[in-house]
Amino acid sequence: MRKCWNIRGKVEEQNISGLGDFVYTLDVEETDEDSVVKFDLTPLFRVYHIHDCLGIQEQFREYYYKNRLLQLNSDLQISTAQPFVESYQTYLAQIAGYFIVEDRVLRTARDLLSANHVETMWETAVVKMTSGLEEQFSHMDSATHLLLVKDYVTLLGATLGQYGYEVGQVLEVLDRSRDKYHELLLGECQEQIVNALGSDTYEQMVMKKDSDYENNVLCFHLQTSDIMPAFPYFAPFSSMVPNTCRIVRSFIKGSVDYLSYGVHTNFYDIVRKYLDRILIDVLNEVLLSTIHGGAVSVSQAMQIAANISVLERACDFFLRHAAQLCGVPIRSVERPPASLTAKVVLKTSRDAAYLALLNLVNTKLDEFMNLTENINWTSEETPQNGNDYINELVIYLDTILLTAQQVLPLDALHKVGSGALEHISNSIVGAFLSDSVKRFNANAVLSLHNDLNMLEDFADEKFHSTGLSEIYKGGSFRGCLLEARQLINLLSSSQPENFMNPVIRQKNYDALDYKNVASICEKFKDSPDGIFGSLSTRNTKQSARKKSMDMLKKRLKDFN
């Protein structure tokens, strides 16, 4: 049922014999059913008939028009005694009632009013009404209040439009205020999104029944499978995701509500523009602020990255929901060019979250490794196993990758694993280059060789158990340790001078930098042979390797 104006009119006559005053009062209210506007103008017709009989109808016409203009100007004055949000209904209702009455008078009271008179009245009303509304809109600080007034203005426009009044200028006021409305709405949504992120524990949501799954997953099309999961269900996202989706969905509804029944009949593109704004200027900025705030842990950073991946998928739902509310065929927004700009921007935020996550993971890895302190660089004993730190390091890596596997997409899991192992590789090379390491011997190299063996075995197992080997054919986590592995192999080689052979270098040492190799080799100083060393085959081999290393050092100096 459509809303309409229900007008009840009453004329009180005073001093009819003279040209005395008469008062016309209106009671205007909204009803929810189709109805005919009913009011009785018989007293007015009677007064006009009497003046006609007296031959002074022209004076009455002028009197009526003059006093009705005065009444209109009075009605158009916006009360300052109370806030506009408390008086706008009465204000707009009396204007609507006024012109409904004048339309009836024009059509039924013979020549009491002319069309020009009514047009002049309406033009006067439009000028004052539009300026008054614009002034009031400029002072409003609540999107809800602006929307309430907008609804009543559109109701006034729809009603008076049915009576033939040109209401375009009135509705244009709403169009000119749409940016103000959306700025207020964006501000309110920003506060809500900040609260949603601030109250999140960044732990996976646990849904214990199908209604929870329906309200938090299905209604936003966040599911990755059409099969209903077993409960309790551990979602890959935390509570901020469905809470944010509700806020954005509410924003879309608010945007459509304001733009509906206005000047524009096709406003889907306008809704899309504002949808991009809430996702880019609000959600994306809040996410970046949270990421760079410095107060997130490794697990929180990982969950934020996972959440952003889910929100990227939700962008498709937001677009379809906007189209549905705007009456646009869903199939037209499912074509590739229809995607939101915000979806691309959120990928940037996701990358920022990955970078923050990797930085946090790497910082924690450094705590475990701290090779310059954990390695005995000049040990006289030949190590049989890895160093003490390596077991804790592998346990930490396993925990990180297990958690990442639960919440992150496989491509993100690959980034986390690759980034962590590359950092370890860089740290090993960096330790050899560190100023705090003045010299090292073959035993230190052997100990790091054992550490690398454990890490490479771990990397191979994880790459296969996580399913990454099925996606990244020919790839591996082991490859992320390549620079460290090639350095250890070079330092362990019986003929390190082969590094200068272009063919061998390209095949076995292509990840190593000349300057780094030169600096590291200068620190490689094996212990001198014992008193009976020359009688030992082992020491003979060491001597040959030492000569080869010395040759490499010399050639590297010459090369540089």
Coordinates of all heavy atoms in Angstrom, one line a residue, residues 171-172 174-176 178 256 258-270:
L171 N 13.0 18.5 -5.5 CA 13.7 17.2 -5.4 C 15.2 17.4 -5.7 O 16.1 16.6 -5.2 CB 13.2 16.2 -6.4 CG 11.7 15.8 -6.2 CD1 11.2 14.8 -7.2 CD2 11.5 15.2 -4.8
E172 N 15.5 18.5 -6.5 CA 17.0 18.7 -6.8 C 17.7 19.1 -5.5 O 18.9 19.0 -5.4 CB 17.1 19.8 -7.8 CG 16.8 19.3 -9.2 CD 16.7 20.5 -10.3 OE1 17.0 21.6 -9.8 OE2 16.5 20.2 -11.4
L174 N 17.4 17.6 -2.8 CA 17.9 16.3 -2.2 C 19.1 15.9 -3.0 O 20.1 15.3 -2.4 CB 16.8 15.3 -2.3 CG 15.5 15.7 -1.7 CD1 14.4 14.6 -1.9 CD2 15.6 15.9 -0.2
D175 N 19.1 16.1 -4.3 CA 20.3 15.6 -5.1 C 21.5 16.4 -4.7 O 22.6 15.9 -4.7 CB 19.9 15.8 -6.6 CG 21.0 15.2 -7.5 OD1 21.2 14.0 -7.3 OD2 21.5 15.9 -8.4
R176 N 21.4 17.7 -4.5 CA 22.5 18.6 -4.1 C 23.0 18.2 -2.7 O 24.2 18.6 -2.4 CB 22.1 20.0 -4.2 CG 21.9 20.6 -5.6 CD 21.9 22.1 -5.6 NE 20.7 22.6 -5.0 CZ 19.5 22.8 -5.6 NH1 19.4 22.5 -6.9 NH2 18.5 23.3 -4.9
R178 N 23.1 15.1 -1.5 CA 23.5 13.7 -1.4 C 24.9 13.5 -0.9 O 25.2 12.5 -0.1 CB 23.3 13.0 -2.7 CG 24.3 13.2 -3.8 CD 24.0 12.5 -5.1 NE 25.1 12.6 -6.0 CZ 25.0 12.5 -7.3 NH1 23.8 12.3 -7.8 NH2 26.1 12.6 -8.1
V256 N 20.9 3.7 -1.0 CA 19.8 3.5 -1.9 C 18.5 4.2 -1.4 O 17.8 4.8 -2.2 CB 19.5 1.9 -2.1 CG1 18.2 1.7 -2.9 CG2 20.7 1.3 -2.8
Y258 N 18.4 6.9 0.2 CA 18.4 8.3 0.0 C 18.3 8.7 -1.5 O 17.6 9.6 -1.9 CB 19.8 8.9 0.5 CG 19.8 10.4 0.4 CD1 19.3 11.2 1.5 CD2 20.2 11.1 -0.7 CE1 19.3 12.6 1.4 CE2 20.2 12.5 -0.8 CZ 19.7 13.2 0.3 OH 19.7 14.6 0.2
L259 N 18.9 7.8 -2.4 CA 18.8 8.1 -3.8 C 17.5 7.7 -4.5 O 17.2 8.2 -5.6 CB 20.0 7.4 -4.5 CG 21.4 7.9 -4.1 CD1 22.5 7.0 -4.6 CD2 21.6 9.3 -4.6
S260 N 16.7 6.9 -3.8 CA 15.4 6.5 -4.4 C 14.4 7.6 -4.4 O 14.4 8.5 -3.5 CB 14.8 5.3 -3.5 OG 15.7 4.2 -3.5
Y261 N 13.6 7.6 -5.4 CA 12.5 8.6 -5.6 C 13.0 10.0 -5.7 O 12.3 10.9 -5.3 CB 11.5 8.5 -4.4 CG 11.1 7.1 -4.1 CD1 11.5 6.4 -2.9 CD2 10.3 6.4 -5.0 CE1 11.1 5.1 -2.7 CE2 9.9 5.1 -4.8 CZ 10.3 4.4 -3.6 OH 10.0 3.1 -3.4
G262 N 14.3 10.2 -6.1 CA 14.8 11.5 -6.3 C 14.8 11.9 -7.8 O 14.0 11.4 -8.6
V263 N 15.7 12.7 -8.2 CA 15.8 13.2 -9.5 C 16.2 12.1 -10.5 O 15.8 12.0 -11.6 CB 16.8 14.4 -9.6 CG1 16.9 14.9 -11.1 CG2 16.3 15.6 -8.8
H264 N 17.2 11.3 -10.0 CA 17.8 10.2 -10.8 C 16.9 8.9 -10.7 O 16.6 8.5 -9.6 CB 19.2 9.9 -10.4 CG 20.1 11.1 -10.6 ND1 20.6 11.6 -11.8 CD2 20.6 12.0 -9.6 CE1 21.3 12.6 -11.6 NE2 21.3 12.9 -10.3
T265 N 16.6 8.4 -11.9 CA 15.8 7.1 -11.8 C 16.8 6.0 -11.9 O 16.5 4.9 -11.4 CB 14.8 7.1 -13.0 OG1 15.5 7.3 -14.2 CG2 13.7 8.1 -12.8
N266 N 18.0 6.2 -12.6 CA 19.0 5.1 -12.7 C 20.2 5.6 -11.9 O 21.0 6.3 -12.3 CB 19.4 4.9 -14.2 CG 20.4 3.8 -14.3 OD1 20.7 3.1 -13.4 ND2 21.0 3.7 -15.5
F267 N 20.2 5.1 -10.6 CA 21.2 5.6 -9.7 C 22.2 4.5 -9.2 O 22.9 4.7 -8.3 CB 20.6 6.3 -8.4 CG 19.5 5.4 -7.8 CD1 19.8 4.5 -6.9 CD2 18.2 5.6 -8.2 CE1 18.8 3.7 -6.3 CE2 17.2 4.8 -7.6 CZ 17.5 3.9 -6.6
Y268 N 22.2 3.4 -9.9 CA 23.1 2.3 -9.5 C 24.5 2.7 -9.6 O 25.3 2.4 -8.7 CB 22.8 1.1 -10.5 CG 23.9 0.0 -10.3 CD1 23.9 -0.8 -9.2 CD2 24.8 -0.3 -11.4 CE1 24.9 -1.8 -9.0 CE2 25.7 -1.3 -11.2 CZ 25.8 -2.0 -10.1 OH 26.7 -3.0 -9.9
D269 N 24.9 3.4 -10.6 CA 26.3 3.9 -10.7 C 26.7 4.8 -9.6 O 27.9 4.8 -9.1 CB 26.6 4.6 -12.1 CG 26.6 3.6 -13.3 OD1 26.8 2.4 -13.0 OD2 26.3 4.0 -14.4
I270 N 25.8 5.6 -9.1 CA 26.0 6.5 -8.0 C 26.2 5.7 -6.7 O 27.2 6.0 -5.9 CB 24.9 7.5 -7.8 CG1 24.7 8.3 -9.1 CG2 25.1 8.4 -6.6 CD1 23.5 9.3 -9.0

